[in-house]
Amino acid sequence: MSLKIWIDGQFQSTEDAKVSVLSHALHYGTGVFEGIRSYPTASGAAVFRLREHLLRMQRGADALGMHLVLDECEQAVVQTLRVNQQAEAYIRPLAWYADGGLGLDLGKQTAHLMVATIAWASHLGGHKVRVTVSPMRRNTARAMPALKLTGGYTNATMAKLEAARRGFDEALFVDDAGLVVECTGENVFLVKDGKVVASEHPDALGGITRQTAIELTGAEVRPVSLAELKAADEVFLTGTSAEICAVEAIDERVYGDNPVTRDLSALYQRIVHGEEPKYRHWLTEYDLESKADRVAA
Ligand SMILES: Cc1ncc(COP(=O)(O)O)c(C=O)c1O
């Protein structure tokens, strides 16, 4: 059965969902997206921190002069998961400008919203990752706000391509002053003498998994230099896709055992799967049996 995609209030099959080659977003990256996940739980399934993701998307939409209705997005996400009968999925909402001309002035183009829920395939392979310091710089937030604007991801994809060509799993952005920014799709933490530190940088995305990890560990939040990162006992990355992911090495620096990361990762897994009552408020639970939405499809 082909998956259904919610587009502007209607469900279409993946094969039928098409956009114009003259779409403004295709030419200039005038879109905003989110990456969200849902997980099976003992009582059904749940989306992790859905509201927070959509609020971040709304900030990106505002930056592009688009109006995003949070309740509509939230309902579209849950309906799409139900229609596709998915307990475990990667959820991709995207709002973009399409027809109305290829001028750079915004306002004339049609705005669209879609939600795709795709089968989950682990982003960094679910294993310890080998990271390299990128020769590229991260988009500065003064030129491109640190939000999930589609155009901004050319920077991340090129840095990742460069790292992959040298045989690494992931690229680490460092700024001109030697401060850690983030990876192409994850925020960066270190552990030293049992203490957790969340790297902070104005050009890094305000990650929701990062915020989760800060709340769970009571991490200190501050700028971190590459030298400090290399001198740490453990380094881990956080992201919706990567979850809590241990770093095996940064270039020639190889890290040893990672007990703090391991424990945090296990706690995170219990939380997203609904096994920690204290954090159930982070879950939007949904019922795969609901008939109403299947009729709507
Ligand atoms: C550039 C970048 N940094 C960090 C993250 C991690 O953010 P989150 O934990 O909200 O998924 C992501 C993923 O969305 C990202 O694209």
Side-chain angles (χ1 to χ4, degrees):
M1 184 196 86
S2 90
L3 287 175
K4 296 271 192 277
I5 299 185
W6 185 103
I7 305 183
D8 297 328
Q10 306 286 326
F11 284 104
Q12 290 186 29
S13 65
T14 315
E15 300 78 45
D16 297 337
K18 302 272 190 294
V19 293
S20 159
V21 291
L22 291 181
S23 293
H24 201 268
L26 184 63
H27 295 256
Y28 304 124
T30 48
V32 57
F33 68 99
E34 264 306 321
I36 314 172
R37 277 178 77 172
S38 72
Y39 295 85
T41 65
S43 54
V47 184
F48 187 61
R49 305 197 80 167
L50 177 56
R51 241 316 134 152
E52 290 92 328
H53 279 281
L54 295 180
L55 280 166
R56 183 171 67 189
M57 185 169 167
Q58 192 177 47
R59 287 203 295 281
D62 284 347
L64 292 172
M66 264 178 207
H67 183 59
L68 198 74
V69 181
L70 289 187
D71 287 343
E72 182 191 28
C73 288
E74 201 164 292
Q75 282 164 24
V77 165
V78 171
Q79 280 177 15
T80 312
L81 289 164
R82 281 188 185 140
V83 163
N84 289 324
Q85 286 290 291
Q86 289 162 306
E88 181 164 42
Y90 181 78
I91 302 159
R92 168 52 57 87
L94 168 73
W96 76 101
Y97 284 123
D99 302 317
L102 290 179
L104 291 182
D105 41 327
L106 291 177
K108 302 190 189 90
Q109 301 79 9
T110 56
H112 302 274
L113 176 65
M114 73 109 200
V115 176
T117 58
I118 47 193
W120 178 244
S122 180
H123 163 60
L124 286 174
H127 54 75
K128 283 183 156 189
V129 290
R130 289 178 57 248
V131 174
T132 185
V133 175
S134 180
M136 295 180 68
R137 291 288 173 256
R138 186 75 178 121
N139 296 324
T140 159
R142 291 165 67 197
M144 171 71 79
L147 293 166
K148 291 185 80 77
L149 303 177
T150 57
Y153 277 79
T154 310
N155 177 227
T157 54
M158 287 194 303
K160 187 131 196 205
L161 178 63
E162 192 283 330
R165 282 178 173 155
R166 290 190 287 112
F168 290 91
D169 302 311
E170 182 51 299
L172 172 69
F173 289 111
V174 173
D175 73 8
D176 286 337
L179 294 174
V180 170
V181 184
E182 61 179 337
C183 286
T184 66
E186 304 85 28
N187 295 111
V188 182
F189 285 70
L190 67 82
V191 184
K192 183 74 178 173
D193 300 328
K195 293 207 174 59
V196 181
V197 180
S199 70
E200 185 174 52
H201 195 285
D203 302 340
L205 185 77
I208 288 155
T209 323
R210 173 182 186 268
Q211 191 51 43
T212 303
I214 291 168
E215 287 177 57
L216 295 176
T217 59
E220 189 185 344
V221 179
R222 61 169 170 79
V224 165
S225 69
L226 178 61
E228 186 182 8
L229 200 65
K230 288 196 172 175
D233 301 326
E234 301 178 37
V235 172
F236 65 87
L237 310 180
T238 61
T240 296
S241 172
E243 301 174 318
I244 308 288
C245 178
V247 169
E248 181 180 304
I250 300 178
D251 292 315
E252 70 296 336
R253 164 67 164 117
V254 179
Y255 297 91
D257 193 16
N258 52 340
V260 175
T261 305
R262 217 171 25 243
D263 284 356
L264 178 62
S265 173
L267 174 60
Y268 185 81
Q269 288 303 321
R270 292 198 300 278
I271 291 171
V272 296
H273 288 96
E275 292 161 23
E276 291 283 341
K278 190 174 164 200
Y279 299 105
R280 285 294 269 272
H281 61 283
W282 282 339
L283 305 182
T284 300
E285 297 184 55
Y286 60 96
D287 173 11
L288 286 175
E289 301 307 313
S290 170
K291 297 215 170 47
D293 295 323
R294 273 194 265 169
V295 172

